[in-house]
Amino acid sequence: MSTIPTRSFEMPYMFQNLVNDRIQTLHREAEEQRLVSQFRRVQRARRNVKRANDRLRQVLSTAL
């Protein structure tokens, strides 16, 4: 008979652990997505700078 109350206490605890684990996983995934997004923005900015430098170099070479 003592196992029934123990199980009733364990189930909410186990459920709460599952919920907490899922929340942590979602936070981790969101942080990974933010990092990927930031990385892509940096790559895009670098490409834009390279294109601008190439255009400037081309204009300067034709002006001389």
Side-chain angles (χ1 to χ4, degrees):
M1 287 174 65
S2 65
T3 59
I4 293 172
T6 304
R7 283 187 183 175
S8 66
F9 287 126
E10 286 178 6
M11 289 306 290
Y13 177 76
M14 288 172 47
F15 181 74
Q16 188 61 42
N17 279 344
L18 289 173
V19 169
N20 289 340
D21 286 345
R22 182 63 180 144
I23 290 170
Q24 287 176 353
T25 300
L26 290 172
H27 282 295
R28 206 173 312 121
E29 288 173 356
E31 179 62 23
E32 289 172 4
Q33 287 300 317
R34 283 190 292 272
L35 289 172
V36 167
S37 179
Q38 183 179 8
F39 178 74
R40 287 181 180 160
R41 280 193 303 269
V42 168
Q43 282 184 319
R44 189 178 313 119
R46 286 181 177 167
R47 280 194 309 268
N48 290 340
V49 167
K50 184 183 179 316
R51 284 189 205 123
N53 285 337
D54 291 344
R55 285 193 305 266
L56 180 61
R57 208 173 291 116
Q58 184 180 7
V59 168
L60 289 176
S61 69
T62 58
L64 297 176

